[in-house]
PDB file of all heavy atoms in Angstrom:
ATOM      1  N   MET A 279      89.349  13.511 -26.053  1.00 53.00           N
ATOM      2  CA  MET A 279      87.931  13.442 -26.464  1.00 53.00           C
ATOM      3  C   MET A 279      87.688  14.553 -27.441  1.00 53.00           C
ATOM      4  O   MET A 279      88.152  15.627 -27.237  1.00 53.00           O
ATOM      5  CB  MET A 279      87.014  13.589 -25.256  1.00 53.00           C
ATOM      6  CG  MET A 279      86.822  12.418 -24.403  1.00 53.00           C
ATOM      7  SD  MET A 279      85.566  12.736 -23.157  1.00 53.00           S
ATOM      8  CE  MET A 279      84.307  11.673 -23.794  1.00 53.00           C
ATOM      9  N   ALA A 280      86.914  14.238 -28.482  1.00 57.00           N
ATOM     10  CA  ALA A 280      86.509  15.277 -29.438  1.00 57.00           C
ATOM     11  C   ALA A 280      85.071  15.646 -29.113  1.00 57.00           C
ATOM     12  O   ALA A 280      84.281  14.796 -28.705  1.00 57.00           O
ATOM     13  CB  ALA A 280      86.635  14.722 -30.831  1.00 57.00           C
ATOM     14  N   PHE A 281      84.820  16.893 -29.337  1.00 58.00           N
ATOM     15  CA  PHE A 281      83.489  17.428 -29.044  1.00 58.00           C
ATOM     16  C   PHE A 281      82.977  18.203 -30.258  1.00 58.00           C
ATOM     17  O   PHE A 281      83.777  18.775 -30.991  1.00 58.00           O
ATOM     18  CB  PHE A 281      83.468  18.391 -27.837  1.00 58.00           C
ATOM     19  CG  PHE A 281      84.057  17.754 -26.594  1.00 58.00           C
ATOM     20  CD1 PHE A 281      85.306  18.041 -26.112  1.00 58.00           C
ATOM     21  CD2 PHE A 281      83.282  16.894 -25.848  1.00 58.00           C
ATOM     22  CE1 PHE A 281      85.795  17.467 -24.981  1.00 58.00           C
ATOM     23  CE2 PHE A 281      83.740  16.308 -24.700  1.00 58.00           C
ATOM     24  CZ  PHE A 281      85.033  16.602 -24.272  1.00 58.00           C
ATOM     25  N   LYS A 282      81.688  18.164 -30.431  1.00 58.00           N
ATOM     26  CA  LYS A 282      81.069  18.995 -31.449  1.00 58.00           C
ATOM     27  C   LYS A 282      80.198  20.014 -30.756  1.00 58.00           C
ATOM     28  O   LYS A 282      79.526  19.700 -29.781  1.00 58.00           O
ATOM     29  CB  LYS A 282      80.178  18.149 -32.389  1.00 58.00           C
ATOM     30  CG  LYS A 282      81.000  17.245 -33.323  1.00 58.00           C
ATOM     31  CD  LYS A 282      80.165  16.692 -34.375  1.00 58.00           C
ATOM     32  CE  LYS A 282      80.955  15.845 -35.300  1.00 58.00           C
ATOM     33  NZ  LYS A 282      80.218  15.279 -36.420  1.00 58.00           N
ATOM     34  N   MET A 283      80.282  21.241 -31.239  1.00 54.00           N
ATOM     35  CA  MET A 283      79.512  22.354 -30.649  1.00 54.00           C
ATOM     36  C   MET A 283      78.054  22.137 -31.009  1.00 54.00           C
ATOM     37  O   MET A 283      77.715  22.066 -32.186  1.00 54.00           O
ATOM     38  CB  MET A 283      80.010  23.665 -31.132  1.00 54.00           C
ATOM     39  CG  MET A 283      79.311  24.840 -30.529  1.00 54.00           C
ATOM     40  SD  MET A 283      79.662  24.957 -28.787  1.00 54.00           S
ATOM     41  CE  MET A 283      80.470  26.470 -28.672  1.00 54.00           C
ATOM     42  N   ALA A 284      77.174  22.083 -30.008  1.00 50.00           N
ATOM     43  CA  ALA A 284      75.733  21.970 -30.318  1.00 50.00           C
ATOM     44  C   ALA A 284      75.142  23.395 -30.379  1.00 50.00           C
ATOM     45  O   ALA A 284      74.449  23.731 -31.272  1.00 50.00           O
ATOM     46  CB  ALA A 284      75.033  21.146 -29.264  1.00 50.00           C
ATOM     47  N   ILE A 285      75.460  24.168 -29.383  1.00 49.00           N
ATOM     48  CA  ILE A 285      75.051  25.586 -29.381  1.00 49.00           C
ATOM     49  C   ILE A 285      76.125  26.348 -28.577  1.00 49.00           C
ATOM     50  O   ILE A 285      77.003  25.720 -28.011  1.00 49.00           O
ATOM     51  CB  ILE A 285      73.685  25.818 -28.683  1.00 49.00           C
ATOM     52  CG1 ILE A 285      73.746  25.364 -27.245  1.00 49.00           C
ATOM     53  CG2 ILE A 285      72.587  25.105 -29.436  1.00 49.00           C
ATOM     54  CD1 ILE A 285      72.729  26.030 -26.407  1.00 49.00           C
ATOM     55  N   THR A 286      76.002  27.618 -28.512  1.00 50.00           N
ATOM     56  CA  THR A 286      77.032  28.431 -27.796  1.00 50.00           C
ATOM     57  C   THR A 286      77.036  27.929 -26.366  1.00 50.00           C
ATOM     58  O   THR A 286      76.100  27.906 -25.651  1.00 50.00           O
ATOM     59  CB  THR A 286      76.613  29.907 -27.804  1.00 50.00           C
ATOM     60  OG1 THR A 286      76.445  30.246 -29.206  1.00 50.00           O
ATOM     61  CG2 THR A 286      77.639  30.756 -27.140  1.00 50.00           C
ATOM     62  N   GLY A 287      78.252  27.504 -25.958  1.00 63.00           N
ATOM     63  CA  GLY A 287      78.490  27.126 -24.620  1.00 63.00           C
ATOM     64  C   GLY A 287      78.130  25.617 -24.282  1.00 63.00           C
ATOM     65  O   GLY A 287      78.401  25.165 -23.176  1.00 63.00           O
ATOM     66  N   MET A 288      77.525  24.911 -25.188  1.00 78.00           N
ATOM     67  CA  MET A 288      77.158  23.521 -24.972  1.00 78.00           C
ATOM     68  C   MET A 288      77.830  22.621 -25.982  1.00 78.00           C
ATOM     69  O   MET A 288      77.829  22.915 -27.146  1.00 78.00           O
ATOM     70  CB  MET A 288      75.579  23.366 -25.083  1.00 78.00           C
ATOM     71  CG  MET A 288      75.088  22.080 -24.526  1.00 78.00           C
ATOM     72  SD  MET A 288      75.401  21.716 -22.801  1.00 78.00           S
ATOM     73  CE  MET A 288      74.609  23.119 -22.030  1.00 78.00           C
ATOM     74  N   TRP A 289      78.418  21.534 -25.524  1.00 89.00           N
ATOM     75  CA  TRP A 289      79.161  20.653 -26.419  1.00 89.00           C
ATOM     76  C   TRP A 289      78.572  19.229 -26.362  1.00 89.00           C
ATOM     77  O   TRP A 289      78.041  18.782 -25.315  1.00 89.00           O
ATOM     78  CB  TRP A 289      80.611  20.612 -25.962  1.00 89.00           C
ATOM     79  CG  TRP A 289      81.288  21.927 -26.126  1.00 89.00           C
ATOM     80  CD1 TRP A 289      81.240  22.945 -25.160  1.00 89.00           C
ATOM     81  CD2 TRP A 289      82.081  22.402 -27.156  1.00 89.00           C
ATOM     82  NE1 TRP A 289      81.957  23.989 -25.687  1.00 89.00           N
ATOM     83  CE2 TRP A 289      82.511  23.703 -26.893  1.00 89.00           C
ATOM     84  CE3 TRP A 289      82.445  21.812 -28.393  1.00 89.00           C
ATOM     85  CZ2 TRP A 289      83.305  24.424 -27.791  1.00 89.00           C
ATOM     86  CZ3 TRP A 289      83.226  22.574 -29.264  1.00 89.00           C
ATOM     87  CH2 TRP A 289      83.634  23.847 -28.920  1.00 89.00           C
ATOM     88  N   VAL A 290      78.633  18.541 -27.488  1.00 92.00           N
ATOM     89  CA  VAL A 290      78.189  17.126 -27.584  1.00 92.00           C
ATOM     90  C   VAL A 290      79.421  16.276 -27.621  1.00 92.00           C
ATOM     91  O   VAL A 290      80.278  16.458 -28.499  1.00 92.00           O
ATOM     92  CB  VAL A 290      77.270  16.949 -28.831  1.00 92.00           C
ATOM     93  CG1 VAL A 290      76.864  15.506 -28.971  1.00 92.00           C
ATOM     94  CG2 VAL A 290      76.122  17.875 -28.799  1.00 92.00           C
ATOM     95  N   THR A 291      79.501  15.262 -26.741  1.00 93.00           N
ATOM     96  CA  THR A 291      80.660  14.363 -26.750  1.00 93.00           C
ATOM     97  C   THR A 291      80.670  13.513 -28.035  1.00 93.00           C
ATOM     98  O   THR A 291      79.653  13.231 -28.603  1.00 93.00           O
ATOM     99  CB  THR A 291      80.694  13.473 -25.491  1.00 93.00           C
ATOM    100  OG1 THR A 291      79.552  12.620 -25.563  1.00 93.00           O
ATOM    101  CG2 THR A 291      80.718  14.292 -24.215  1.00 93.00           C
ATOM    102  N   GLU A 292      81.890  13.066 -28.341  1.00 94.00           N
ATOM    103  CA  GLU A 292      82.063  12.166 -29.542  1.00 94.00           C
ATOM    104  C   GLU A 292      81.373  10.876 -29.305  1.00 94.00           C
ATOM    105  O   GLU A 292      80.844  10.257 -30.252  1.00 94.00           O
ATOM    106  CB  GLU A 292      83.567  11.975 -29.728  1.00 94.00           C
ATOM    107  CG  GLU A 292      83.857  11.195 -31.029  1.00 94.00           C
ATOM    108  CD  GLU A 292      85.349  11.106 -31.303  1.00 94.00           C
ATOM    109  OE1 GLU A 292      86.154  11.287 -30.380  1.00 94.00           O
ATOM    110  OE2 GLU A 292      85.687  10.875 -32.476  1.00 94.00           O
ATOM    111  N   GLU A 293      81.245  10.431 -28.028  1.00 96.00           N
ATOM    112  CA  GLU A 293      80.512   9.167 -27.753  1.00 96.00           C
ATOM    113  C   GLU A 293      79.075   9.285 -28.185  1.00 96.00           C
ATOM    114  O   GLU A 293      78.533   8.340 -28.720  1.00 96.00           O
ATOM    115  CB  GLU A 293      80.615   8.933 -26.239  1.00 96.00           C
ATOM    116  CG  GLU A 293      79.834   7.622 -25.857  1.00 96.00           C
ATOM    117  CD  GLU A 293      79.698   7.453 -24.337  1.00 96.00           C
ATOM    118  OE1 GLU A 293      79.741   8.443 -23.571  1.00 96.00           O
ATOM    119  OE2 GLU A 293      79.518   6.289 -23.937  1.00 96.00           O
ATOM    120  N   CYS A 294      78.456  10.478 -28.024  1.00 96.00           N
ATOM    121  CA  CYS A 294      77.050  10.650 -28.417  1.00 96.00           C
ATOM    122  C   CYS A 294      76.923  10.434 -29.957  1.00 96.00           C
ATOM    123  O   CYS A 294      76.049   9.706 -30.380  1.00 96.00           O
ATOM    124  CB  CYS A 294      76.583  12.054 -28.062  1.00 96.00           C
ATOM    125  SG  CYS A 294      76.467  12.403 -26.297  1.00 96.00           S
ATOM    126  N   THR A 295      77.777  11.129 -30.688  1.00 95.00           N
ATOM    127  CA  THR A 295      77.663  10.984 -32.168  1.00 95.00           C
ATOM    128  C   THR A 295      78.056   9.634 -32.640  1.00 95.00           C
ATOM    129  O   THR A 295      77.421   9.083 -33.573  1.00 95.00           O
ATOM    130  CB  THR A 295      78.506  12.081 -32.885  1.00 95.00           C
ATOM    131  OG1 THR A 295      79.844  12.013 -32.383  1.00 95.00           O
ATOM    132  CG2 THR A 295      77.952  13.483 -32.591  1.00 95.00           C
ATOM    133  N   ASN A 296      79.087   8.983 -32.081  1.00 97.00           N
ATOM    134  CA  ASN A 296      79.495   7.680 -32.464  1.00 97.00           C
ATOM    135  C   ASN A 296      78.454   6.619 -32.201  1.00 97.00           C
ATOM    136  O   ASN A 296      78.114   5.777 -33.071  1.00 97.00           O
ATOM    137  CB  ASN A 296      80.812   7.270 -31.814  1.00 97.00           C
ATOM    138  CG  ASN A 296      82.024   8.017 -32.284  1.00 97.00           C
ATOM    139  OD1 ASN A 296      81.931   8.630 -33.370  1.00 97.00           O
ATOM    140  ND2 ASN A 296      83.048   7.973 -31.557  1.00 97.00           N
TER     141      ASN A 296
END
Side-chain angles (χ1 to χ4, degrees):
M279 281 187 110
F281 304 103
K282 288 191 178 182
M283 183 66 117
I285 63 157
T286 305
M288 193 60 59
W289 296 84
V290 178
T291 64
E292 188 174 18
E293 179 188 24
C294 294
T295 53
N296 288 344

